[in-house]
Amino acid sequence: MNGKIFNLEELFRSGKERLREAQIEEADLDAWYLLEYITGVTKTAYYGNPKADVPEEQAEEYEVALAKRAEHIPLQHITGRQYFMGYEFLVNDQVLVPRQDTENLVEEAYRHIKEKLKKEPNKKVQVLDVCTGSGCIAISLKAFLPQLSVTAADISEKALAVAEKNAEENKQQITFVKTDLFEHINETYDMIISN
């Protein structure tokens, strides 16, 4: 960028324009998320001083991130993170991005398990999450119901590595199994769940 000094406002404006031109559905929001991700500047800080200088290195990093997003690479694959059920999950191109509608599935599963536990409070409930991907379903259920025994299965070793990292970061004990659907599943489960 040839030593040019940029400020937050200029970068944000150019980011919005670039993503609009690329026909990104939520161009303004994505331009903001990328700016916040790269610079660490909150909205409060931005509005307090929109003319604040941005180091050239960060301006270049922002341009690279915008270029990726303009190619319709998911925002979460650029930032490497997605929030789901109030928890932060690592995501990359080896797993699907956890979606809002999948939260409905987790809430429904939670409701059914709670009902089961009301009837049998001392029962050890075992849950299997098939095709776990990032592990968001398994990890969220375990976080909300610590007494569960949760197994997460996937055919992809790379996806399982992401899920294991997410379980570790969210401090949840999950059993992981590499399997093609039920091929290496030998237990009996009270609930089998999959997105």
Side-chain angles (χ1 to χ4, degrees), residues 133-152:
S134 67
C136 65
I137 293 172
I139 293 164
S140 297
L141 282 173
K142 180 69 174 175
F144 293 134
L145 296 162
Q147 68 271 43
L148 292 182
S149 173
V150 180
T151 300

Side-chain angles (χ1 to χ4, degrees), residues 86-90 139 143 165-172:
Y87 294 91
E88 188 177 43
F89 288 88
L90 168 70
I139 293 164
K165 180 76 172 158
N166 282 325
E168 184 183 311
E169 285 188 6
N170 286 291
K171 298 176 176 51
Q172 299 303 319

Side-chain angles (χ1 to χ4, degrees), residues 144-193:
F144 293 134
L145 296 162
Q147 68 271 43
L148 292 182
S149 173
V150 180
T151 300
D154 206 293
I155 193 171
S156 166
E157 284 183 28
K158 291 180 178 177
L160 284 172
V162 172
E164 287 175 12
K165 180 76 172 158
N166 282 325
E168 184 183 311
E169 285 188 6
N170 286 291
K171 298 176 176 51
Q172 299 303 319
Q173 286 292 121
I174 309 282
T175 301
F176 293 97
V177 178
K178 182 184 181 308
T179 182
D180 185 359
L181 295 176
F182 301 102
E183 186 179 353
H184 300 295
I185 300 296
N186 304 311
E187 301 287 323
T188 303
Y189 295 90
D190 299 284
M191 176 180 283
I192 297 173
I193 191 166

